Amino acid sequence: KISAQGLQFDNAPSTVRAVMFPANFSLDPEETSKRLSDIRRKNELPFFLKLVQTVFPDVTDVSVENNAGVWMVYVSTRHITGQMIPMALHLAGMNRFVAILLGIASVPRGVVLIDELDNGLYYKTLPDVWKALHTFAAQYKTQVFATTHSMECLSAVHDGVHVARDDFSLIRAT
């Protein structure tokens, strides 16, 4: 209501929990590590790892480790035996994809904004990326808004999640 006393709300305005992933923005390894740690504590790591493996099948495990005083996400792969490596050294696209999944989990019933989703991802993996994002977002009841300039990325939505068409909308700016 607008009155002589100013703007008044009958109920307090709601706050929206949101996470944003700008294009070409350096990810904070400690933030991603904290989010992975939260997933592990809730015993949700098997579900998370299964989705990661749909896009990156060579990954066998994921963990939070300390490297020179900085907490980072490490992965085990089928190709490197005997030790885990920092995820950022494995694949840049994987680093971003994992951060996005963990961002979804960090704001249940919230919003995740992703600018240029396809950055760093091989175009043939995009249908699996969309499937994984949809599955994770549905699990956490999180709404995802993703932008792209890539026709391959848009086509991959159709290929990846044709069974859940009602969950997607396309807004095109010209």
Side-chain angles (χ1 to χ4, degrees), residues 24-42:
N24 301 320
F25 181 75
S26 296
L27 298 168
D28 180 0
E30 292 205 34
E31 183 67 26
T32 303
S33 297
K34 178 190 170 297
R35 290 176 177 161
L36 180 59
S37 178
D38 291 344
I39 290 277
R40 290 181 69 94
R41 274 196 309 276
K42 296 175 188 171

Side-chain angles (χ1 to χ4, degrees), residues 52-130:
V52 169
Q53 290 169 331
T54 63
V55 180
F56 302 99
D58 63 323
V59 173
T60 58
D61 196 10
V62 61
S63 178
V64 175
E65 304 297 333
N66 192 300
N67 183 359
V70 177
W71 290 98
M72 301 170 67
V73 176
Y74 275 67
V75 295
S76 292
T77 70
R78 290 185 176 93
H79 308 295
I80 300 173
T81 58
Q83 69 178 20
M84 298 183 95
I85 60 169
M87 181 176 58
L89 295 179
H90 181 52
L91 292 168
M94 180 183 177
N95 197 39
R96 183 169 159 84
F97 174 70
V98 164
I100 290 168
L101 287 182
L102 294 170
I104 290 170
S106 74
V107 289
R109 299 186 183 278
V111 174
V112 173
L113 308 168
I114 309 164
D115 189 21
E116 297 183 18
L117 169 66
D118 51 307
N119 276 3
L121 295 168
Y122 182 52
Y123 78 98
K124 287 189 176 181
T125 66
L126 291 173
D128 292 327
V129 167
W130 281 112

Side-chain angles (χ1 to χ4, degrees), residues 136-158:
F136 222 62
Q139 174 73 21
Y140 291 96
K141 297 176 177 42
T142 301
Q143 213 172 10
V144 175
F145 293 86
T147 67
T148 186
H149 298 283
S150 163
M151 185 53 100
E152 287 93 357
C153 190
L154 290 176
S155 296
V157 172
H158 181 268

